[in-house]
């Protein structure tokens, strides 16, 4: 791989990335006093050259994806989700423990999920475990089996097989996870606040917003902070929506608590004022809030209060999304944005004079570091050769029916972005976005986990030894 703008560290420089057996063998930066075009043209055996309008970035590491297979594969599955990921520049996914049936709450259930994934992966995939009432004894075995951490809800999840933890159960699970050095990731909305909020049947987005108030997030995040302080366990706030929680988070970080935070492209790209009524493609929990809130989230990313940006790709069938004929209390909540997220955030960042190198850090390096994948999310010697070409000279016109995820519903439908992913490389294997047909992905386990051998795809990846 060669290009005039390759992200090395935090700088885009002319460089040649040489790949051997799926890893980056060398990164040769063109000297400042040399002609970049001539230097790159002189490279022998070049397999892939990025256009002059393009940027070469590490593949996105998306640590928040609902693949749903097995059990709800008609909502989404490993084949369709990983194809969408590859087309959008995401070369590593970590799959959430719900909405599959069974959920990933025991080692037996993890093995079922691994069997379901075998032979279907276009990109690399790892797994979160789940923390639910009654599975306290399953947490450490799951950790030893290679999950990257444990997801819990503090309010109903929407599926009966994955119930929330009450405050006492949350402390017990958090203490157990802290005991063996694990990570708890939390859907932070408070059940009591949600129960007390008005939630009449309504097609109005403003009414739905009132049913998921900011205080639901702030109360739950305070509970997480108190639990992290008490137990010493690592905690992570999922899909932060409300800017009103930012001061709580900043204070906890200043205190030195092991707390990390993510937000999502839909919170950074949309605002409540522009969402039409009876449009369930925009419904998610916690909800998309007002434009001023959105800009505060951008400021928090810049300031380092929020660490990462992830898709929270949570698709469902048209029947589930349209349940209630526009009544937003009945429609399934979740935004399908896996294929779109990087391009959308990069475009919105550029409008705010935020560099692409920073977007890459939020969506690749920081997410990889969150789950301990030190060989992902960066272009450096020894790292996996996971790369993406983002070309600002190519327009991205989004049509939901042409996106690769299983059900053609997306909040991004009809939008146009100046820039898109035109090629992804998974451990040295280049995926043609116009004809993606290879399943080169592997199943991942947490570094250091004494796991059984994971089920691997029957089609083995090829080895690329020339400069890619």
């Amino acid at each position: 791989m060669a290009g005039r703008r390759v992200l090395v560290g935090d700088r885009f420089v002319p460089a040649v990335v040489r790949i051997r057996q799926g890893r980056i063998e060398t990164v040769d930066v063109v000297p400042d006093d040399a002609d970049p075009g001539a230097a790159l043209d002189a490279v022998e055996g070049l397999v892939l050259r990025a256009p002059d309008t393009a940027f070469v970035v590490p593949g996105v590491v998306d640590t928040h994806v609902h693949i749903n297979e097995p059990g709800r594969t008609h909502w989404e599955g490993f084949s369709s989700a990983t194809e969408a990921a590859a087309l959008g520049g995401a070369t590593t996914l970590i799959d959430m423990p719900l909405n599959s049936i069974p959920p990933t709450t025991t080692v037996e259930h993890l093995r079922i999920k691994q069997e379901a994934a075998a032979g279907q992966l276009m990109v690399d995939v790892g797994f979160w475990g789940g923390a639910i009432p009654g599975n306290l004894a399953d947490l450490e075995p799951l950790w030893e089996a290679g999950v990257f951490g444990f997801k819990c809800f503090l309010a109903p999840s929407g599926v009966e097989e994955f119930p929330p933890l009450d405050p006492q159960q949350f402390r017990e699970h958090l203490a157990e996870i802290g005991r063996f050095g694990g990570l708890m990731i939390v859907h932070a909305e408070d059940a009591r606040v949600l129960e007390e909020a008005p939630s009449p049947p309504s097609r109005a987005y403003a009414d739905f917003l009132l049913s998921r108030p900011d205080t639901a997030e702030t109360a739950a995040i305070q509970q997480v902070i108190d639990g992290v302080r008490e137990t010493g366990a690592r905690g992570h706030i999922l899909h932060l929506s409300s800017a009103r929680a930012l001061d709580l988070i900043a204070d906890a970080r200043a205190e030195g608590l092991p707390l990390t935070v993510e937000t999502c492209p839909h919170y950074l790209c949309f605002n409540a004022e522009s969402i039409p009524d009876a449009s369930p493609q925009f419904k998610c929990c916690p909800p998309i809030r007002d434009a001023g809130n959105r800009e505060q989230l951008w400021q928090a990313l810049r300031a380092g209060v929020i660490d990462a940006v992830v898709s929270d790709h949570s698709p469902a069938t048209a029947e589930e999304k349209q349940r209630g004929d526009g009544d937003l209390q009945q429609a399934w909540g979740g935004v399908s944005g896996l294929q779109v997220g990087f391009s959308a955030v990069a475009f919105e960042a550029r409008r705010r004079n935020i560099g692409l190198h920073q977007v890459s850090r939020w969506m690749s390096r920081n997410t990889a570091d969150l789950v301990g994948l030190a060989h992902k999310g960066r272009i450096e010697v020894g790292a996996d050769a996971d790369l993406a070409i983002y070309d600002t000279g190519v327009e991205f016109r989004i049509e939901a029916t042409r996106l690769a995820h299983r059900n053609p519903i997306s909040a991004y439908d009809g939008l146009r972005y100046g820039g898109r992913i035109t090629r992804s490389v998974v451990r040295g294997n280049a995926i043609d976005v116009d004809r993606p047909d290879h399943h080169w992905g592997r199943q991942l386990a947490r570094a250091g986990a004494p796991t059984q051998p994971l089920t691997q795809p029957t089609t083995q990846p090829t080895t690329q030894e020339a400069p890619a």
Side-chain angles (χ1 to χ4, degrees):
M1 167 80 75
R4 285 177 175 266
R5 300 181 182 92
V6 178
L7 186 57
V8 179
D10 283 329
R11 295 176 57 233
F12 283 99
V13 295
V16 178
V17 179
R18 298 180 183 273
I19 297 167
R20 184 178 180 83
Q21 297 183 341
R23 297 264 180 158
I24 296 175
E25 185 175 46
T26 62
V27 180
D28 300 323
V29 176
V30 175
D32 291 339
D33 59 354
D35 175 10
L40 298 179
D41 289 341
V43 178
E44 295 182 359
L46 188 64
V47 175
L48 190 59
R49 166 95 178 256
D52 289 347
T53 54
F55 297 80
V56 180
V57 295
V60 170
V61 179
D62 192 339
T63 55
H64 193 147
V65 179
H66 294 268
I67 295 179
N68 303 340
E69 185 175 0
R72 291 190 176 94
T73 310
H74 56 299
W75 291 21
E76 188 71 285
F78 285 105
S79 180
S80 52
T82 59
E83 180 178 343
L87 297 182
T91 53
T92 302
L93 307 180
I94 310 297
D95 173 53
M96 283 292 166
L98 74 163
N99 302 301
S100 58
I101 302 174
T104 315
T105 52
T106 68
V107 172
E108 179 185 2
H109 293 175
L110 172 64
R111 298 303 178 205
I112 291 171
K113 181 164 286 241
Q114 290 170 337
E115 287 293 331
Q120 296 202 70
L121 305 182
M122 197 169 289
V123 303
D124 290 352
V125 176
F127 305 98
W128 294 109
I132 63 172
N135 85 327
L136 193 67
D138 294 298
L139 300 178
E140 189 170 17
L142 275 165
W143 182 249
E144 291 298 306
V147 300
F148 288 86
F150 304 89
K151 181 175 186 176
C152 75
F153 281 75
L154 302 181
S157 70
V159 292
E160 63 181 12
E161 67 274 5
F162 204 97
L165 300 176
D166 66 28
Q168 181 61 36
Q169 292 165 339
F170 174 70
R171 292 294 180 94
E172 291 171 352
H173 281 67
L174 191 61
E176 172 67 1
I177 289 168
R179 182 186 65 78
F180 58 74
L183 171 66
M184 177 75 97
I185 64 174
V186 186
H187 182 120
E189 288 184 287
D190 184 86
R192 187 172 65 178
V193 172
L194 295 180
E195 288 170 2
E196 295 174 352
S199 56
S202 176
R203 295 163 61 89
Y205 187 80
D207 288 341
F208 171 65
L209 196 57
L210 289 174
S211 75
R212 317 292 296 207
D214 296 87
T215 50
E217 283 192 82
T218 56
I221 288 170
Q222 185 63 64
Q223 181 182 345
V224 175
I225 291 169
D226 292 343
V228 167
R229 182 186 295 114
E230 178 182 316
T231 64
R234 290 184 293 145
H236 179 74
I237 304 298
L238 297 166
H239 45 48
L240 179 70
S241 155
S242 175
R244 295 188 185 180
L246 291 171
D247 286 345
L248 287 175
I249 293 165
D251 289 346
R253 302 278 283 268
E255 187 181 334
L257 298 181
L259 183 73
T260 50
V261 185
E262 68 182 38
T263 192
C264 304
H266 40 276
Y267 301 131
L268 300 171
C269 297
F270 302 118
N271 62 80
E273 297 94 325
S274 64
I275 294 177
D277 292 338
S279 299
Q281 66 268 33
F282 293 95
K283 178 186 174 180
C284 55
C285 301
I288 298 166
R289 304 190 189 275
D290 61 80
N293 182 92
R294 177 189 62 191
E295 297 312 311
Q296 289 181 67
L297 295 178
W298 278 105
Q299 292 169 15
L301 278 163
R302 283 168 151 164
V305 178
I306 300 175
D307 303 277
V309 179
V310 298
S311 71
D312 189 13
H313 179 69
S314 186
T317 62
E319 180 182 9
E320 289 294 327
K321 288 298 286 182
Q322 295 165 4
R323 190 173 56 205
D325 189 28
D327 178 0
L328 296 178
Q329 292 300 332
Q330 294 189 51
W332 177 261
V335 173
S336 298
L338 180 56
Q339 187 173 335
V340 179
F342 182 86
S343 295
V345 174
F347 180 80
E348 292 293 334
R350 190 160 70 246
R351 292 179 56 217
R352 293 166 175 81
N353 296 315
I354 298 172
L356 186 63
H357 70 283
Q358 186 60 74
V359 174
S360 178
R361 180 168 287 274
W362 294 330
M363 300 186 76
S364 298
R365 182 182 288 263
N366 287 3
T367 45
D369 290 349
L370 171 70
V371 294
L373 291 174
H375 59 294
K376 299 280 190 183
R378 62 211 76 205
I379 299 176
E380 58 187 42
V381 173
D384 279 1
D386 297 338
L387 308 166
I389 297 178
Y390 173 71
D391 195 340
T392 55
V394 179
E395 184 183 66
F396 192 5
R397 181 173 174 268
I398 300 167
E399 299 176 50
T401 56
R402 296 174 65 87
L403 296 174
H405 68 261
R406 180 147 290 160
N407 290 280
I409 303 165
S410 177
Y412 298 90
D413 186 39
L415 296 180
R416 294 172 183 256
Y417 291 122
R420 64 170 297 173
I421 297 293
T422 57
R423 185 71 68 119
S424 296
V425 177
V426 179
R427 283 177 288 96
N429 300 286
I431 294 173
D432 185 340
V433 297
D434 294 320
R435 293 179 299 172
D437 58 357
H438 294 289
H439 292 88
W440 282 316
R442 293 178 177 173
Q443 295 186 33
L444 305 174
R446 178 181 56 82
T451 63
Q452 302 175 23
L454 298 182
T455 303
Q456 296 293 349
T458 54
T459 302
Q460 292 300 315
T462 59
T463 298
Q464 178 57 262
E465 298 190 358

